Amino acid sequence: MSPGSAIEHAEQPHETNGVFSLENILGGDHESLEHPTATDIPAEGWDEESTAKAVAQGYCVECEDQPAQVFCEACADDYCEVCFAAQHRKGTRKKHSSTPLTSPKEKKTTRADEVNGDPQAATVAENGEKMDVEDSDDADSDDELEAIAAPSPEVILSAQPAVGSQVGEWFVERSKFIPVRLTLGERKYLRLLEAALQVSEYTDKIDTIGFGLSKAKRIVHQIRELCSILSGLVIAADYKQGQELFQDRDFESNSEFYQQIFELGRRHKIMNPDKMRTTYGKLIYILQDSQSTEVKDLLNFSCVRPIKSVYILLQETNALDLLRDPLVTYATMEIYSEGRTRREIQKDIKNKERAIETLASRYSRKDLSQENIRQCLYSIGDNHAFLRTNRDPCDKMITYLKQYFHPTQAKDGKTSLAIRSGKGGARLSHDHSKQYAYVLQSLTLWREILHDMFHLWSLAEQDLLSDTVPYRLRDTGQGLNRVQAAPKTSRMMHVILNRAQRSIGSWVGSSVIHMGDHNVPNALMFIDKYSQIYRILLPICNTLAQIPTLLEKPSIRSFIEDEFGSADNLCREILGDFFRHGFDGSGADNFYDAGSCIDGRLTSAWNWCSMLEKKRFFPVFLLTGFIGFDGEW
């Protein structure tokens, strides 16, 4: 048969009868071959999305788990504010116009009725109002995520109320994530917990491959061993109290005691990030394993309880009005000594003490003692001290950037922040104006993260200790790590990133946030990573602040003038080198792990710290008392 006759023959109508042959393949009815009913089955598989599955009405078309807040007229889609900002940040989409939508609950009902046109889409309640027919579990989880990611619009968390001003709801919102300071008696138990965790080999026994017993039995054995060590230490410290607690030798009956001990460790770590550096991770992994259903059934009790926060303590006693009193700004203010006389400092101390005693006597009641009120105020003051140590260095570095460098133009090579890939270890290529914006954005983002660090820490613990989000043990290139998704922490990070982007107006580089991958395996690694920012910035700020003091010594002044010309040139050289090579995308084996992503910026800064000894201004750091980036300041 010639090719022409074969084609003519193939075009003729014929019966396929489901037979697999060349003639049927070339025929016009090849779709019914072998699977005559295949056209009735929608294409869906492990690598394909269901074509019949639609986004829930009233929710963001991008993330699909947040209520829609804006409607893009060009895309004709509904977005939440975070996803809309992320999708319309650059390119032609940046010109898209949007309109705000009604409240999420109203939109769910109205748009569902308009799109479906089905009168059965809504049911009539007893009072005659229409209600959505939704799965209650899904609604609860969405409301929870909405509450996590979107604080009240009346509360501006990034703006701390000034002393003596009207505080509104700022302290109420802030106190939800501020743990209560430990009392003297609780600190004794904390020392026992740290001692027990120091000798525990939990992660060595659990996070291994190819062990004898099942993992659940190993976990239960290790948790009971830790509880036994705690019991023995309590009896050794206070025999009478220990006998009362453990006379029946039953773990389940003493579950409340163990929950309290573990909660003390978590609360202490949040208030003091530089403490428990080797034991907190072990504690979290123990509690993470104890949340699995199989382990709970074997233990017959839970090891986890909510963190005792200032908000919870005052809410239980109906004393939240304490946090709305203008005197709370005096009772919790930070007292600085730099550039002030002793008389001014003493005056502030007396005002603070008077405000604390006034609030303690004004709001004390039968179920809330004056000592409890003082503990709450001291805890809020501890939060302010945390912000001063961790957040304020970011503000200082932003001030230095604006003081010593021009946003768009550089006077000469020494004041230029331009970097080129391959030169000086840089992996990015930015001109001066782009690098200036890149550094400013990174410092602003770090500042916003540290401002909400207690909030992020609370969400990170919720992700880590969730009984619905499992982890998997995986070699990430840095040993075996527990890789676990962190949806709540990730969502809050995107909100913070969106806030930083809006405050600046533009964004240079990638906005990828690593979470639950080989770069940042879980929320614990994320918290540990960003709680180290002050260890990078604070020594630099301290060195720059002490340079004028060094100039008072003639020999050091002569050295600085001979090497750098002047103190101003020295400061500019230190800052210029940090702003160039502390934000150049270096510090990793490939571009994806470092580069310009959100976490890569911090990796580059740590890489600069490791190279400090090779810089020509390193002796100046030593002259100001610099020990290391992990030292005491």
Side-chain angles (χ1 to χ4, degrees), residues 238-287:
D238 192 335
Y239 182 77
K240 184 176 180 181
Q241 183 183 7
Q243 283 291 93
E244 294 176 356
L245 283 171
F246 306 108
Q247 57 184 354
D248 51 359
R249 297 184 178 181
D250 183 17
F251 290 105
E252 185 178 355
S253 61
N254 294 315
S255 59
E256 188 174 344
F257 170 77
Y258 296 126
Q259 290 175 359
Q260 178 189 0
I261 291 287
F262 295 141
E263 187 267 342
L264 292 178
R266 294 159 56 202
R267 199 196 320 167
H268 178 70
K269 175 64 177 179
I270 296 175
M271 297 290 285
N272 305 274
D274 56 325
K275 305 294 184 182
M276 298 180 67
R277 297 181 65 183
T278 59
T279 55
Y280 176 73
K282 197 181 299 184
L283 171 63
I284 285 295
Y285 283 164
I286 291 172
L287 299 179

Side-chain angles (χ1 to χ4, degrees), residues 52 158 174 176 219 298 312 361 414 549:
S158 295
R174 191 78 180 174
K176 293 179 180 179
I219 291 170
L298 292 173
I312 291 176
S361 60
K414 293 182 179 179
T549 306

Side-chain angles (χ1 to χ4, degrees), residues 262-331:
F262 295 141
E263 187 267 342
L264 292 178
R266 294 159 56 202
R267 199 196 320 167
H268 178 70
K269 175 64 177 179
I270 296 175
M271 297 290 285
N272 305 274
D274 56 325
K275 305 294 184 182
M276 298 180 67
R277 297 181 65 183
T278 59
T279 55
Y280 176 73
K282 197 181 299 184
L283 171 63
I284 285 295
Y285 283 164
I286 291 172
L287 299 179
Q288 184 182 41
D289 289 334
S290 71
Q291 287 295 91
S292 67
T293 306
E294 190 176 359
V295 173
K296 281 183 180 179
D297 293 341
L298 292 173
L299 277 176
N300 293 324
F301 71 91
S302 174
C303 299
V304 179
R305 66 186 292 184
I307 292 288
K308 184 180 179 182
S309 65
V310 173
Y311 181 87
I312 291 176
L313 180 61
L314 295 178
Q315 186 186 42
E316 290 174 350
T317 55
N318 296 320
L320 287 177
D321 287 339
L322 165 68
L323 301 175
R324 301 183 180 97
D325 196 309
L327 274 181
V328 75
T329 57
Y330 288 98

Side-chain angles (χ1 to χ4, degrees), residues 73-237:
E73 296 177 355
C75 302
D77 285 323
D78 298 339
Y79 294 91
C80 64
E81 288 185 353
V82 176
C83 291
F84 179 82
Q87 294 292 322
H88 297 74
R89 185 169 58 88
K90 291 183 177 180
T92 57
R93 284 194 175 190
K94 189 175 182 181
K95 301 178 181 179
H96 289 188
S97 59
S98 63
T99 55
L101 299 173
T102 55
S103 62
K105 291 185 178 179
E106 292 177 2
K107 186 165 182 59
K108 291 176 191 174
T109 304
T110 56
R111 288 189 64 84
D113 295 343
E114 290 174 1
V115 174
N116 298 332
D118 185 5
Q120 301 297 327
T123 58
V124 180
E126 294 180 359
N127 57 3
E129 295 179 355
K130 288 188 177 182
M131 299 176 60
D132 288 333
V133 181
E134 276 188 0
D135 183 63
S136 58
D137 293 336
D138 293 342
D140 291 341
S141 62
D142 291 330
D143 290 342
E144 180 184 4
L145 284 174
E146 181 184 2
I148 289 167
S152 176
E154 293 84 8
V155 180
I156 304 175
L157 295 179
S158 295
Q160 191 169 325
V163 176
S165 63
Q166 295 295 324
V167 297
E169 296 292 314
W170 193 89
F171 281 97
V172 175
E173 293 295 324
R174 191 78 180 174
S175 65
K176 293 179 180 179
F177 312 103
I178 299 178
V180 178
R181 180 193 282 192
L182 272 60
T183 62
L184 180 61
E186 291 173 337
R187 292 180 187 276
K188 294 180 180 179
Y189 288 125
L190 174 67
R191 287 194 290 271
L192 299 182
L193 174 64
E194 288 193 82
L197 290 172
Q198 285 285 359
V199 300
S200 175
E201 298 179 350
Y202 183 83
T203 49
D204 297 334
K205 298 286 182 66
I206 302 302
D207 292 344
T208 56
I209 298 176
F211 209 88
L213 296 173
S214 68
K215 187 169 184 178
K217 291 182 178 179
R218 279 185 283 146
I219 291 170
V220 171
H221 176 73
Q222 291 298 317
I223 292 177
R224 285 180 175 172
E225 183 179 286
L226 178 65
C227 292
S228 299
I229 295 172
L230 282 172
S231 306
L233 291 174
V234 170
I235 293 174

Side-chain angles (χ1 to χ4, degrees), residues 341-606:
T341 63
R342 187 176 184 87
R343 184 175 182 180
E344 293 174 340
I345 297 171
Q346 289 294 335
K347 181 180 179 181
D348 284 349
I349 292 174
K350 289 182 179 179
N351 289 337
K352 183 174 181 177
E353 291 176 348
R354 192 180 300 114
I356 291 174
E357 294 305 319
T358 301
L359 291 173
S361 60
R362 181 181 298 174
Y363 292 95
S364 63
R365 55 198 67 182
K366 185 178 180 180
D367 52 351
L368 183 65
S369 64
Q370 292 190 14
E371 185 60 30
N372 288 336
I373 294 177
R374 294 190 191 97
Q375 284 292 105
C376 292
L377 295 174
Y378 292 149
S379 301
I380 298 174
D382 291 342
N383 177 247
H384 292 343
F386 170 86
L387 293 178
R388 181 190 178 191
T389 306
N390 291 264
R391 182 197 63 188
D392 288 3
C394 296
D395 290 328
K396 290 182 181 178
M397 294 302 289
I398 291 174
T399 303
Y400 283 136
L401 176 66
K402 296 179 178 179
Q403 177 182 349
Y404 286 98
F405 302 94
H406 193 274
T408 56
Q409 298 176 351
K411 297 179 181 179
D412 50 39
K414 293 182 179 179
T415 59
S416 174
L417 299 179
I419 58 175
R420 177 170 294 182
S421 179
K423 185 178 180 180
R427 298 181 65 92
L428 304 174
S429 295
H430 289 164
D431 58 21
H432 172 79
S433 59
K434 183 175 287 189
Q435 181 68 5
Y436 181 96
Y438 182 72
V439 174
L440 178 62
Q441 292 164 4
S442 302
L443 292 172
T444 303
L445 178 64
W446 291 355
R447 191 245 181 223
E448 292 297 313
I449 291 173
L450 292 171
H451 182 83
D452 286 330
M453 178 56 78
F454 280 20
H455 190 178
L456 284 167
W457 207 310
S458 174
L459 299 178
E461 285 205 347
Q462 292 179 37
D463 286 327
L464 287 163
L465 305 181
S466 172
D467 53 1
T468 59
V469 183
Y471 70 87
R472 65 186 187 277
L473 204 61
R474 177 182 159 193
D475 186 1
T476 60
Q478 301 176 3
L480 289 175
N481 282 283
R482 299 187 176 195
V483 179
Q484 180 191 35
K488 295 181 180 179
T489 312
S490 178
R491 177 67 188 178
M492 185 64 193
M493 267 298 296
H494 280 90
V495 171
I496 293 174
L497 175 62
N498 181 41
R499 189 168 66 208
Q501 289 174 337
R502 285 188 298 174
S503 67
I504 296 171
S506 62
W507 195 257
V508 176
S510 172
S511 56
V512 173
I513 299 174
H514 292 288
M515 193 84 71
D517 56 12
H518 72 281
N519 290 290
V520 184
N522 51 52
L524 175 63
M525 300 299 179
F526 166 80
I527 288 296
D528 182 67
K529 191 180 183 77
Y530 282 96
S531 62
Q532 308 300 320
I533 291 177
Y534 84 102
R535 295 183 180 276
I536 300 173
L537 301 184
L538 196 56
I540 301 174
C541 292
N542 287 344
T543 298
L544 295 172
Q546 294 183 45
I547 287 177
T549 306
L550 293 178
L551 296 177
E552 297 176 359
K553 299 178 181 179
S555 57
I556 298 179
R557 183 186 186 93
S558 176
F559 162 73
I560 291 176
E561 290 179 349
D562 292 342
E563 286 290 326
F564 306 99
S566 65
D568 201 53
N569 289 342
L570 171 60
C571 294
R572 186 176 286 106
E573 181 168 339
I574 294 174
L575 290 168
D577 192 83
F578 176 66
F579 292 149
R580 281 190 295 269
H581 298 293
F583 301 86
D584 60 0
S586 61
D589 296 333
N590 55 72
F591 187 83
Y592 184 74
D593 291 348
S596 63
C597 65
I598 301 304
D599 298 281
R601 302 168 191 237
L602 195 53
T603 304
S604 303
W606 270 124

